[in-house]
Structure formats: C-alpha cells, structure tokens
Amino acid sequence: MYDFKPDSSLDTAERYRQLCDAADALTKDEPDAVANMANVAALIWEFIPDLNWAGFYRVSNAKSAGRELVLGPFVGRPACIRIPIGVGVCGAAAQSGETQRVEDVHSFPGHIACDAASQSELVVPVLRDDRVIAVIDLDSPNTARFTAEDARGLESLARLLSDRI
Ligand code: SME
C-alpha cells in the first residue's frame, strides 16, 4: 500500500516538496507514461487542497488532427478531450511554454469550461528538450486559489516529470 497522505499543517512550499518526493519515488523506476501520469494526478489530489480537477493534457502530433492537446490521466469530472494549441488556459500554456495562473477563469478569453464549478486555474507546461510535451492542469472551485508559490511548486513537479511521462 502507498500511503502518501500529507500533514494538513504543512505550508505550501513544504507541501509541494513532499508531493515532488512522493512523485519521484513513484515514477523513477516506471517507464510507462500513462501509469506515471495517473499516479501523479492522484498524488496532486491528495497533497493539494481545494481542487475540483487535477490532471494532464498531452501534446499530440497525430497527422490526422494536427498539433493539439489530448486529455490524459486526471482526477475530477469527465473533461474536454481535445483542445487546440492556443485555445483556453491549457492551450495558452502549451503555445507559450509558460505557466498560466488565472485568478478568475470567467475573465480569461477563450477559457474552456469543463466543470462549471471551476473558478480559478493553474496550468504548467511540461518541457522536454525545450518543447512542450504536456501540461499539468489544476482547477479550483475558489476564485484566486493559486499563488505564485503554487506555480513554483507545480513547475518543480513538471521538471521532475520531463522524462517520465
Ligand atoms: N479550463 C481548461 C480546460 C480543461 S479543464 O479545466 C479540465 C482550459 O481553458 O484550457
């Protein structure tokens, strides 16, 4: 049994440090990308409070559809399956290669509402060899849920996962 339950009194930086340690332990000897994303989505859900969705979109280069994001492993309600690069918060992160921290999703042009409960969102790109291969997407039912510290913590996780998903 894996028991990675965090202590509820942890501060944000320590919470993400422990999340990264747990993700490292679970993914370092496992070559299967889907298994690793599934476990990391579950870990995010355990470690990070006040979320209603946590998971991955992967960049697909399938010839039939062009470059787009395709839904990967997640925890939360069923979500949009395909998102064009450049569209919505996830598409903006994939296009720019930069973290998107959105305090109020209703004021983000082109935001894609997969779950009406979502009020704020944090999307961090996962890079390999300077190319975006996926994004990690967190949604919260609270407005302005995510701080710069959340962004830094999730960026550390994205760096760790660069060659594991
Ligand atoms: N809101 C996202 C779409 C993905 S869902 O939040 C899971 C966006 O605007 O890209």
Side-chain angles (χ1 to χ4, degrees), residues 39 133 136:
N39 261 338
I133 58 163
I136 309 174

Side-chain angles (χ1 to χ4, degrees), residues 1-7 10 13-30 35-48 153 156-157 160-161 164:
M1 186 184 87
Y2 297 109
D3 192 2
F4 290 112
K5 209 89 188 140
D7 178 340
L10 294 178
E14 182 57 23
R15 193 171 279 277
Y16 279 95
R17 258 193 298 280
Q18 293 194 11
L19 166 59
C20 286
D21 286 351
D24 184 34
L26 271 182
T27 61
K28 67 175 187 290
D29 295 324
E30 176 50 63
N36 287 339
M37 287 187 281
N39 261 338
V40 171
L43 281 176
I44 293 170
W45 194 256
E46 298 250 351
F47 275 81
I48 309 301
S156 301
L157 181 63
L160 171 75
L161 297 178
R164 299 187 187 183

Side-chain angles (χ1 to χ4, degrees), residues 55-68:
F56 291 83
Y57 278 89
R58 288 179 302 158
V59 174
S60 160
N61 293 308
K63 284 204 178 70
S64 53
R67 233 172 133 249
E68 62 184 350

Side-chain angles (χ1 to χ4, degrees), residues 53-157:
W53 202 92
F56 291 83
Y57 278 89
R58 288 179 302 158
V59 174
S60 160
N61 293 308
K63 284 204 178 70
S64 53
R67 233 172 133 249
E68 62 184 350
L69 291 170
V70 181
L71 183 64
F74 67 93
V75 181
R77 302 194 68 193
C80 329
I81 300 169
R82 291 174 188 271
I83 298 176
I85 302 291
V87 174
V89 187
C90 292
Q95 186 168 59
S96 64
E98 286 170 11
T99 295
Q100 305 291 309
R101 186 161 62 91
V102 179
E103 298 202 333
D104 176 5
V105 294
H106 307 293
S107 61
F108 189 94
H111 166 253
I112 301 163
C114 293
D115 180 345
S118 299
Q119 301 299 325
S120 59
E121 187 159 356
L122 176 63
V123 183
V124 168
V126 181
L127 304 174
R128 186 186 302 151
D129 300 330
D130 295 326
R131 288 175 65 89
V132 178
I133 58 163
V135 301
I136 309 174
D137 180 17
L138 307 187
D139 285 28
S140 173
N142 303 342
T143 302
R145 156 68 185 80
F146 302 106
T147 63
E149 220 170 7
D150 286 291
R152 278 194 295 276
L154 202 62
E155 286 163 355
S156 301
L157 181 63

